[in-house]
Amino acid sequence: MIRLALERPISTWIACAGLVAIGTFSLFKLPVALLPTLERPSFVVEIIAPDRSREQLLTGLVEPVERRLTSLEATRSLRSETEDGSARITLETDWQTDADSLQIEATRRLEGAGDFRPQQMNVRVTGGDPTPTIEVAVLGGESGGARTLLVEKTLLPDIARLPGAGRIETVGLTPLRVVVHPRAAALAARGVTPAALAAALARVGQTSSAGRVREGASVRMLVVSEEVTSLEALGNLMIPTTQGSTPLSGLASIRLDEVPVGGSFHWNGAEGALLRIYRSPGANAVALASKVRDAVSALAGRTGGGIRLQVVRDRSVEVVAALRELALAAFLGILVGTLILRYMLGQWGPTLALSIVIPASVLTSFTFFHVFGIPLDIVSLAGLSLAGGMLVDNSIVVLESIETARARGASNPSLTGTKKIARAVVVSCVTILIVFLPLIYLRGIARAFFGEQAFAIVSSLGASLLFSLTLTPLLARYTSAGSGGASPGLTTYRSWLERCLDRPFIVLGSGLILTAVSLVSVLAIERELFPRAASAGLRFRYELPPDLTREETDRRGNGIEKRVAAAVEGASILALRGTIGGERERDNEAGRGVIDVRFESAGAARTAIPRLRQLAASLAGVRAGVEAVPSAFSELLGDNTGRLQVIVSAPDERRASALANRVSALLRERGVAAELVDSGSSGAALYIDWHEARLSALRLSREQLEMQVRAALVPSMAGRVSIGSNDLNLVLERLTPDEIGVIPVATVAGQVLPLASLANVTLRPRIQKLRREDQRPAFTLEVRQSPGSPDALELERLVRAISIRADESIRLGGEGLEISEAFAQLKLAFLLSLLLVFLTIAGSYESLVVPPLVMAAVPVAVGGGLLALLLTGQSLNMMSFIGLILLSGIVVNHTIVLIDRIEQLREAGEAEDDAIRDAAAERYRPILMTTLTTLLGMLPLALLGNEGVELRRSLATAVIGGLTTSTFASLLVVPLIHRLVEPLRSRRGSASAAMVRENAPAVE
């Protein structure tokens, strides 16, 4: 290939230019996102059965559904929440599970599950981005109904049609409804049961078929229509009673009202509606956000009525800023690296010949991005930026070899020099590529991040290898480094090498001690799933008592929001209540609220934390807390990021509760504050105790009576009323607890009696929700994160030390579980990478001694990377761990160049020490240049500090620290180890030769 490239220069130029052109075209076709596609679909079953208690639901439907779902492949956990009248079962799966296959298989297993059919059973799969790409607020206007009308009739349809738009959630809608509130006393006085009233109102605004009428030669449909066009007409609607008929206005109050649905939303104290727009799978987040902003701008001038539209959150801004900063970091790295090359080569010709390889390799790699569907995101571009410093390494070594051949008078230095170094270049490049081979064994979030970075590095390095063996020799024909280059520090290096050769064991001992100290530093480094950045936002969470009315919930929630606003005066406030994270609002979730506070800087946010914590502690009867708002990068990973949880379970609820309290106490003794969360909200419930003797005398069935009571207490949508141009739903409100005693119920004989004459109604405490995990009652303890609190691995050790019974269990949840699994996979990947590198080098050099020599610098490099993390205050997280894996490939790439030259000189007959000196002097400059270009390429990644810096800084820091120490090992320690093992190799070679001579047949 090398000879062909040199013999056909025009074809080589055309081929290289074609690869670059195709890659450039592919670049503009790539989707743009914030993070890699992180799919963790959840299968959710929502059950509505108003006629069933929580115990009936649990045994009759929830447990059978759990048994059928628990054996599904890729099941991570199975949780359920059961309360009177409804249940929710959530099956969480592993990362990157196929959502369509999950939907098909789970739905198939649900067929025939349970002892009864609920009134409603919704089955859905949730997944995709856990946070919206862009959020649009609808503020102002004459009323919430006007805002809701604009959202439902105009904004939603327009945005839903935009390319790339996925699901759209709405919060804070208050549609106008006709509300009918029955008066229990009036119903009882006229003998009307709530069920009969609901049946009568269900026909309002509906049409029904009454048969067919023959008219001459035609047969026409007879349609009965009960249209109501005003509140007065609705009040005059006659309702059948035991005494004849009576107008609806005599039985209930009627009003036009805005009925909140889907929670509430406030922006800086102003009530409004919020649209949360998610991107569809594979869509371009930046393009979607741009189209939404354009649509909002186009609609802003046509809203009228004082309504205004405002984009309150746009995560694409962070995407663009992060990608722009990554591009700047890559450019700065290339620029500084080019200047270093210019200084060391002494001329611009060879410098540009080397520098052209970097953009050519990067652009060519975009072709592979397009073919395999890899988007441009923070991880893939970080991989390209990390590879940027390595892309020129192969060409540097090739150019140095060509210059050496030219200096020795070779007739065709480009061909001679390239062929001499080709094996080392190919082996060193293959070893880096081999490092990423273990990703085929990874799964989940580790594979999503490690896989994208691996793909970016492998594709760009593969292109670099191709260009270094074809384009670089061709350019070297027209350029020459001459004698004007520089090898800074070469004299000092030679002097140090001589000292090391004289005192090898002192140097080797110092290297071992330095490596050991550095590796021990891992014990002092904090471990977390992903690095956290200083946040300019705070999140105030609160949960009100579960048994409050909607009016009281709104009153208290508004009061809390005002107090938070007063505590953080001048900050921007976004408040959501009722619907959190896009979930459907239920009665006992209406009191859950989240208030996001955005400050001008991270320092202002830190200053406000004590005030907000003091406010949270002062809220009597309210569970509240303050946490930093995660960056968009961490937020996209879901709620698990930053949350350490311990989940305890036992065969029954009493033992599970006792175990949770015991675990909490034991952790507290060890200095770990763990708060019990989601333990099943307690409250008071009204119990109906039937007078059995009275029911028997009246021959009444309790089931029939319970159905009538339920009809009075469960709000329902009835008919429709047309008022003006509006077609409004009719809502039949529930009766209040004060009216329960006079709820009219019908007997078999047609009598209507008040409920109080048939039962006693008392108030008693009761847990509203029964929570289960993996088919057993479970409680969750959440560990408060504070300075000095344990990391996930330390918490796991503490939990494992707690003694429990055989039928009880304790496990980590949230980020603790993610860290445990991700680190286990990355450790496996690291060990497999080292093994594969060893085997690759052994096969390339037909030796089992050369691989340990080449890999001797890896422990020194890893120790340097860990020490750099400790000194800079970085954590050991998934990104820095990936940096350590990448580091092993880079170090081997740099070391193999020196070892290969020593082996060549030894094979040519030079003595060991002379071979070391000559190879070290010859390879010093290329090793120094490759190290400096890689370091300088990564330095901007570690220093530039805006959006997304937390994901790349720890990775770049680990690589920079490792490269610094590995350079010392490559240039000094590795040659000494080669010298120490050479006598062993010589004796083994002599013994093998003697054996061959002894076994050789005699020659006459």
Side-chain angles (χ1 to χ4, degrees), residues 741-761:
V742 293
I743 290 177
V745 293
T747 67
V748 177
Q751 292 179 281
V752 176
L753 302 174
L755 179 63
S757 65
L758 302 174
N760 290 328
V761 181

PDB file of all heavy atoms in Angstrom, residues 741-761:
ATOM      1  N   GLY A 741     -73.467  11.750  55.737  1.00  0.00           N
ATOM      2  CA  GLY A 741     -74.553  11.158  56.505  1.00  0.00           C
ATOM      3  C   GLY A 741     -75.913  11.259  55.843  1.00  0.00           C
ATOM      4  O   GLY A 741     -76.791  10.416  56.072  1.00  0.00           O
ATOM      5  N   VAL A 742     -76.126  12.264  54.985  1.00  0.00           N
ATOM      6  CA  VAL A 742     -77.441  12.443  54.364  1.00  0.00           C
ATOM      7  C   VAL A 742     -77.451  11.985  52.907  1.00  0.00           C
ATOM      8  O   VAL A 742     -78.388  12.296  52.171  1.00  0.00           O
ATOM      9  CB  VAL A 742     -77.886  13.918  54.444  1.00  0.00           C
ATOM     10  CG1 VAL A 742     -78.138  14.322  55.878  1.00  0.00           C
ATOM     11  CG2 VAL A 742     -76.835  14.841  53.806  1.00  0.00           C
ATOM     12  N   ILE A 743     -76.399  11.264  52.483  1.00  0.00           N
ATOM     13  CA  ILE A 743     -76.396  10.734  51.119  1.00  0.00           C
ATOM     14  C   ILE A 743     -77.604   9.815  50.950  1.00  0.00           C
ATOM     15  O   ILE A 743     -77.792   8.870  51.712  1.00  0.00           O
ATOM     16  CB  ILE A 743     -75.102   9.948  50.848  1.00  0.00           C
ATOM     17  CG1 ILE A 743     -73.898  10.895  50.779  1.00  0.00           C
ATOM     18  CG2 ILE A 743     -75.204   9.149  49.546  1.00  0.00           C
ATOM     19  CD1 ILE A 743     -72.580  10.200  50.597  1.00  0.00           C
ATOM     20  N   PRO A 744     -78.434  10.066  49.958  1.00  0.00           N
ATOM     21  CA  PRO A 744     -79.610   9.210  49.762  1.00  0.00           C
ATOM     22  C   PRO A 744     -79.244   7.919  49.037  1.00  0.00           C
ATOM     23  O   PRO A 744     -78.524   7.938  48.043  1.00  0.00           O
ATOM     24  CB  PRO A 744     -80.535  10.077  48.907  1.00  0.00           C
ATOM     25  CG  PRO A 744     -79.620  11.007  48.177  1.00  0.00           C
ATOM     26  CD  PRO A 744     -78.434  11.230  49.054  1.00  0.00           C
ATOM     27  N   VAL A 745     -79.727   6.803  49.576  1.00  0.00           N
ATOM     28  CA  VAL A 745     -79.521   5.504  48.931  1.00  0.00           C
ATOM     29  C   VAL A 745     -80.885   4.845  48.755  1.00  0.00           C
ATOM     30  O   VAL A 745     -81.799   4.991  49.583  1.00  0.00           O
ATOM     31  CB  VAL A 745     -78.583   4.600  49.760  1.00  0.00           C
ATOM     32  CG1 VAL A 745     -77.176   5.166  49.781  1.00  0.00           C
ATOM     33  CG2 VAL A 745     -79.086   4.435  51.184  1.00  0.00           C
ATOM     34  N   ALA A 746     -81.039   4.114  47.661  1.00  0.00           N
ATOM     35  CA  ALA A 746     -82.330   3.502  47.329  1.00  0.00           C
ATOM     36  C   ALA A 746     -82.383   2.072  47.841  1.00  0.00           C
ATOM     37  O   ALA A 746     -81.389   1.341  47.800  1.00  0.00           O
ATOM     38  CB  ALA A 746     -82.531   3.520  45.815  1.00  0.00           C
ATOM     39  N   THR A 747     -83.555   1.685  48.347  1.00  0.00           N
ATOM     40  CA  THR A 747     -83.776   0.320  48.814  1.00  0.00           C
ATOM     41  C   THR A 747     -84.426  -0.506  47.699  1.00  0.00           C
ATOM     42  O   THR A 747     -84.806   0.026  46.651  1.00  0.00           O
ATOM     43  CB  THR A 747     -84.663   0.309  50.060  1.00  0.00           C
ATOM     44  OG1 THR A 747     -85.982   0.753  49.684  1.00  0.00           O
ATOM     45  CG2 THR A 747     -84.109   1.228  51.137  1.00  0.00           C
ATOM     46  N   VAL A 748     -84.557  -1.808  47.977  1.00  0.00           N
ATOM     47  CA  VAL A 748     -85.186  -2.694  46.999  1.00  0.00           C
ATOM     48  C   VAL A 748     -86.637  -2.302  46.758  1.00  0.00           C
ATOM     49  O   VAL A 748     -87.166  -2.389  45.652  1.00  0.00           O
ATOM     50  CB  VAL A 748     -85.085  -4.159  47.474  1.00  0.00           C
ATOM     51  CG1 VAL A 748     -85.795  -5.097  46.499  1.00  0.00           C
ATOM     52  CG2 VAL A 748     -83.629  -4.569  47.632  1.00  0.00           C
ATOM     53  N   ALA A 749     -87.301  -1.819  47.818  1.00  0.00           N
ATOM     54  CA  ALA A 749     -88.723  -1.460  47.717  1.00  0.00           C
ATOM     55  C   ALA A 749     -88.941  -0.094  47.088  1.00  0.00           C
ATOM     56  O   ALA A 749     -90.075   0.369  46.968  1.00  0.00           O
ATOM     57  CB  ALA A 749     -89.359  -1.486  49.101  1.00  0.00           C
ATOM     58  N   GLY A 750     -87.857   0.596  46.686  1.00  0.00           N
ATOM     59  CA  GLY A 750     -87.999   1.897  46.059  1.00  0.00           C
ATOM     60  C   GLY A 750     -87.897   3.047  47.025  1.00  0.00           C
ATOM     61  O   GLY A 750     -88.019   4.199  46.619  1.00  0.00           O
ATOM     62  N   GLN A 751     -87.705   2.759  48.327  1.00  0.00           N
ATOM     63  CA  GLN A 751     -87.527   3.837  49.298  1.00  0.00           C
ATOM     64  C   GLN A 751     -86.148   4.481  49.115  1.00  0.00           C
ATOM     65  O   GLN A 751     -85.207   3.846  48.647  1.00  0.00           O
ATOM     66  CB  GLN A 751     -87.611   3.300  50.727  1.00  0.00           C
ATOM     67  CG  GLN A 751     -88.979   2.804  51.154  1.00  0.00           C
ATOM     68  CD  GLN A 751     -88.922   2.277  52.565  1.00  0.00           C
ATOM     69  OE1 GLN A 751     -88.472   1.153  52.804  1.00  0.00           O
ATOM     70  NE2 GLN A 751     -89.386   3.091  53.502  1.00  0.00           N
ATOM     71  N   VAL A 752     -86.042   5.749  49.493  1.00  0.00           N
ATOM     72  CA  VAL A 752     -84.760   6.448  49.501  1.00  0.00           C
ATOM     73  C   VAL A 752     -84.491   6.884  50.928  1.00  0.00           C
ATOM     74  O   VAL A 752     -85.262   7.665  51.513  1.00  0.00           O
ATOM     75  CB  VAL A 752     -84.774   7.660  48.548  1.00  0.00           C
ATOM     76  CG1 VAL A 752     -83.463   8.427  48.660  1.00  0.00           C
ATOM     77  CG2 VAL A 752     -85.002   7.211  47.115  1.00  0.00           C
ATOM     78  N   LEU A 753     -83.405   6.348  51.510  1.00  0.00           N
ATOM     79  CA  LEU A 753     -83.069   6.607  52.911  1.00  0.00           C
ATOM     80  C   LEU A 753     -81.703   7.277  53.000  1.00  0.00           C
ATOM     81  O   LEU A 753     -80.833   7.058  52.153  1.00  0.00           O
ATOM     82  CB  LEU A 753     -83.035   5.287  53.692  1.00  0.00           C
ATOM     83  CG  LEU A 753     -84.318   4.454  53.692  1.00  0.00           C
ATOM     84  CD1 LEU A 753     -84.071   3.122  54.383  1.00  0.00           C
ATOM     85  CD2 LEU A 753     -85.455   5.219  54.377  1.00  0.00           C
ATOM     86  N   PRO A 754     -81.496   8.093  54.046  1.00  0.00           N
ATOM     87  CA  PRO A 754     -80.164   8.677  54.241  1.00  0.00           C
ATOM     88  C   PRO A 754     -79.178   7.604  54.710  1.00  0.00           C
ATOM     89  O   PRO A 754     -79.561   6.657  55.398  1.00  0.00           O
ATOM     90  CB  PRO A 754     -80.393   9.751  55.304  1.00  0.00           C
ATOM     91  CG  PRO A 754     -81.596   9.319  56.039  1.00  0.00           C
ATOM     92  CD  PRO A 754     -82.472   8.601  55.044  1.00  0.00           C
ATOM     93  N   LEU A 755     -77.934   7.772  54.336  1.00  0.00           N
ATOM     94  CA  LEU A 755     -76.920   6.788  54.696  1.00  0.00           C
ATOM     95  C   LEU A 755     -76.789   6.637  56.202  1.00  0.00           C
ATOM     96  O   LEU A 755     -76.542   5.534  56.706  1.00  0.00           O
ATOM     97  CB  LEU A 755     -75.563   7.215  54.089  1.00  0.00           C
ATOM     98  CG  LEU A 755     -74.359   6.326  54.379  1.00  0.00           C
ATOM     99  CD1 LEU A 755     -74.568   4.942  53.785  1.00  0.00           C
ATOM    100  CD2 LEU A 755     -73.073   6.953  53.852  1.00  0.00           C
ATOM    101  N   ALA A 756     -76.977   7.734  56.960  1.00  0.00           N
ATOM    102  CA  ALA A 756     -76.800   7.678  58.410  1.00  0.00           C
ATOM    103  C   ALA A 756     -77.773   6.706  59.069  1.00  0.00           C
ATOM    104  O   ALA A 756     -77.505   6.211  60.168  1.00  0.00           O
ATOM    105  CB  ALA A 756     -76.967   9.076  59.011  1.00  0.00           C
ATOM    106  N   SER A 757     -78.912   6.425  58.431  1.00  0.00           N
ATOM    107  CA  SER A 757     -79.870   5.495  59.019  1.00  0.00           C
ATOM    108  C   SER A 757     -79.481   4.038  58.801  1.00  0.00           C
ATOM    109  O   SER A 757     -80.094   3.139  59.391  1.00  0.00           O
ATOM    110  CB  SER A 757     -81.267   5.736  58.419  1.00  0.00           C
ATOM    111  OG  SER A 757     -81.260   5.416  57.026  1.00  0.00           O
ATOM    112  N   LEU A 758     -78.443   3.816  57.989  1.00  0.00           N
ATOM    113  CA  LEU A 758     -78.042   2.446  57.682  1.00  0.00           C
ATOM    114  C   LEU A 758     -76.620   2.122  58.137  1.00  0.00           C
ATOM    115  O   LEU A 758     -76.221   0.952  58.105  1.00  0.00           O
ATOM    116  CB  LEU A 758     -78.119   2.195  56.167  1.00  0.00           C
ATOM    117  CG  LEU A 758     -79.489   2.430  55.502  1.00  0.00           C
ATOM    118  CD1 LEU A 758     -79.375   2.289  53.999  1.00  0.00           C
ATOM    119  CD2 LEU A 758     -80.519   1.464  56.067  1.00  0.00           C
ATOM    120  N   ALA A 759     -75.854   3.127  58.550  1.00  0.00           N
ATOM    121  CA  ALA A 759     -74.459   2.878  58.910  1.00  0.00           C
ATOM    122  C   ALA A 759     -73.936   3.986  59.798  1.00  0.00           C
ATOM    123  O   ALA A 759     -74.509   5.094  59.846  1.00  0.00           O
ATOM    124  CB  ALA A 759     -73.607   2.774  57.654  1.00  0.00           C
ATOM    125  N   ASN A 760     -72.861   3.668  60.522  1.00  0.00           N
ATOM    126  CA  ASN A 760     -72.113   4.666  61.277  1.00  0.00           C
ATOM    127  C   ASN A 760     -70.894   5.086  60.460  1.00  0.00           C
ATOM    128  O   ASN A 760     -70.216   4.240  59.866  1.00  0.00           O
ATOM    129  CB  ASN A 760     -71.636   4.112  62.622  1.00  0.00           C
ATOM    130  CG  ASN A 760     -72.792   3.907  63.585  1.00  0.00           C
ATOM    131  OD1 ASN A 760     -73.781   4.636  63.557  1.00  0.00           O
ATOM    132  ND2 ASN A 760     -72.666   2.904  64.448  1.00  0.00           N
ATOM    133  N   VAL A 761     -70.606   6.376  60.415  1.00  0.00           N
ATOM    134  CA  VAL A 761     -69.451   6.896  59.685  1.00  0.00           C
ATOM    135  C   VAL A 761     -68.481   7.482  60.692  1.00  0.00           C
ATOM    136  O   VAL A 761     -68.823   8.413  61.433  1.00  0.00           O
ATOM    137  CB  VAL A 761     -69.872   7.969  58.659  1.00  0.00           C
ATOM    138  CG1 VAL A 761     -68.650   8.472  57.900  1.00  0.00           C
ATOM    139  CG2 VAL A 761     -70.905   7.410  57.688  1.00  0.00           C
TER     140      VAL A 761
END
